Amino acid sequence: MKNSTVLFQFFGLLFILIVPAYFIQNMMGVEDHDLSLQFTYAFNLCFTVPFTVTVILFKNLIKQYIGLIFMGIGFVKITVFLVFSNLNDIDVSRDNFLLFFVPYVLCMVAEIFVLVRYLNRANF
């Protein structure tokens, strides 16, 4: 399968998941004064897009480590968010938790979609 096809599918899936979720959360008014909805979506996309594009482009070089890299990126994403929230005195309440984890889960679904496709086709 061509890289351009997978990139198109990845960005299409990401768009289909992220845009409606953003507007639903925005209409619900779950935004906190310390943490903006736009920041949480941009933060998650800034980790997801480079990671997934790198995996797509270098899949043959890193195919044995894709699962480890996936888990590491998820850990780094959560850790950076928690460090950011502590440095900026943002209380991680239930609402802030949902502000972060809705886009986090949606981005993870898109990442998993791409990774599963490659791991199913990989020759080890």
Side-chain angles (χ1 to χ4, degrees):
M1 184 177 302
K2 289 180 152 182
N3 287 345
S4 60
T5 304
V6 177
L7 281 170
F8 181 74
Q9 290 174 348
F10 167 68
F11 284 113
L13 178 64
L14 203 57
F15 182 80
I16 289 169
L17 292 174
I18 294 294
V19 171
Y22 173 78
F23 284 115
I24 290 169
Q25 273 191 303
N26 196 23
M27 287 178 6
M28 291 174 60
V30 294
E31 191 165 324
D32 190 3
H33 68 281
D34 292 331
L35 188 64
S36 74
L37 186 63
Q38 294 85 4
F39 171 76
T40 59
Y41 277 85
F43 178 85
N44 280 293
L45 288 172
C46 285
F47 277 93
T48 297
V49 171
F51 162 69
T52 308
V53 169
T54 302
V55 168
I56 290 169
L57 296 177
F58 299 109
K59 68 180 181 283
N60 292 328
L61 297 174
I62 61 172
K63 67 181 173 186
Q64 297 165 337
Y65 304 107
I66 287 177
L68 182 64
I69 293 170
F70 170 74
M71 291 182 67
I73 290 295
F75 176 76
V76 168
K77 198 185 303 186
I78 291 173
T79 303
V80 169
F81 177 75
L82 291 175
V83 167
F84 172 80
S85 63
N86 283 336
L87 291 176
N88 292 318
D89 294 326
I90 298 172
D91 181 35
V92 183
S93 64
R94 184 181 70 92
D95 292 335
N96 287 345
F97 181 80
L98 289 176
L99 274 175
F100 176 75
F101 276 98
V102 168
Y104 176 81
V105 168
L106 295 175
C107 288
M108 294 293 274
V109 167
E111 290 173 11
I112 290 169
F113 171 77
V114 170
L115 298 179
V116 165
R117 292 180 66 101
Y118 279 132
L119 290 176
N120 283 338
R121 290 180 174 82
N123 266 339
F124 291 104

